[in-house]
Amino acid sequence: MSAKRNRRIPEGLRIDLSGVVENVGDHTRVRGSASLEFSDIYQAEFVRGDDISWNFELRRITGGVQVTGDIMGEVPLSCYRCLEEFRHTISLKVDEVVLTVATGQREPGDMDDEYMVLDEQLDLEPILRDAVYLAIPVRRICSEECRGICPTCGENRNLVECGCPAREPDARLKPLADLKRRLEGR
Ligand SMILES: [Zn+2]
Ligand SMILES: [Zn+2]
């Protein structure tokens, strides 16, 4: 995911620490909110909105900043049975240490999305993203009772009683069924 693409960057996602939590022991509280836009099933970007909100304390420690607090809200997901959107509630605790690094100290192999405070700019996105992704269920279903899409007519069976047979006979088995019928007819 590219953080550099043009988009509506949510407020409170990038924090300038200079003059705020400068010395070890300094701390402050930050809040923000964002919505998630999924480009595919595993990739999402934070855009302006209020799907999720966070309330963090930032505390300067030796060599870094400690980020503790909560993320809460609802993540929009699509059900893999019926394809309808549903909202998955999250409530997460965060406790991460983000190292402070100056541009000149960066190693060539350093990744953009490693947790780091670069030149006193703290980007909360990697922390939020990792926490939220981990909270997204592998089984994305709107409810245990979801009856899904009818494989025959494509209707959402939660909404309509389409009346199609529960299971279509496998076309490859048709010759066997014909043979059985012929043998039984003898
Ligand atoms: Zn569903
Ligand atoms: Zn049907």
Side-chain angles (χ1 to χ4, degrees):
M1 183 164 61
S2 167
K4 293 179 183 63
R5 218 183 308 155
N6 255 347
R7 64 192 161 94
R8 299 160 288 144
I9 293 173
E11 281 168 47
L13 202 62
R14 308 280 158 76
I15 293 155
D16 185 356
L17 297 175
S18 47
V20 184
V21 281
E22 245 171 31
N23 304 307
V24 171
D26 286 354
H27 56 93
T28 188
R29 195 159 274 283
V30 293
R31 295 165 192 272
S33 70
S35 285
L36 276 89
E37 252 176 35
F38 283 87
S39 47
D40 69 43
I41 178 161
Y42 294 114
Q43 292 278 306
E45 284 190 334
F46 290 103
V47 295
R48 287 190 186 190
D50 55 8
D51 285 345
I52 61 157
S53 59
W54 57 91
N55 183 348
F56 292 155
E57 186 188 69
L58 312 178
R59 181 176 292 271
R60 178 73 70 167
I61 56 173
T62 306
V65 173
Q66 186 159 27
V67 181
T68 51
D70 304 286
I71 306 171
M72 55 244 118
E74 294 181 332
V75 181
L77 300 174
S78 37
C79 173
Y80 66 42
R81 284 189 195 159
C82 69
L83 310 179
E84 294 294 321
E85 187 180 291
F86 68 102
R87 300 182 78 78
H88 176 72
T89 302
I90 57 166
S91 174
L92 310 168
K93 292 272 177 224
V94 167
D95 187 353
E96 299 287 351
V97 169
V98 187
L99 301 180
T100 37
V101 180
T103 312
Q105 299 173 316
R106 291 197 80 187
E107 301 289 332
D110 283 350
M111 304 272 289
D112 267 351
D113 45 359
E114 275 177 47
Y115 296 174
M116 64 172 78
V117 176
L118 191 60
D119 297 332
E120 293 303 293
Q121 304 300 306
L122 170 61
D123 182 2
L124 291 174
E125 180 162 354
I127 293 176
L128 291 164
R129 198 179 54 219
D130 288 356
V132 169
Y133 277 22
L134 277 176
I136 292 177
V138 178
R139 286 179 81 237
R140 300 181 185 197
I141 51 172
C142 62
S143 92
E144 287 297 330
E145 287 76 42
C146 176
R147 301 175 65 215
I149 298 281
C150 171
T152 307
C153 70
E155 290 284 1
N156 180 345
R157 291 187 292 199
N158 300 314
L159 303 176
V160 286
E161 212 55 71
C162 64
C164 297
R167 241 182 104 191
E168 279 288 276
D170 189 329
R172 290 167 299 181
L173 298 179
K174 191 169 178 295
L176 279 178
D178 289 346
L179 177 64
K180 182 165 178 280
R181 206 175 302 123
R182 278 214 307 281
L183 291 172
E184 282 169 352
R186 239 180 220 176

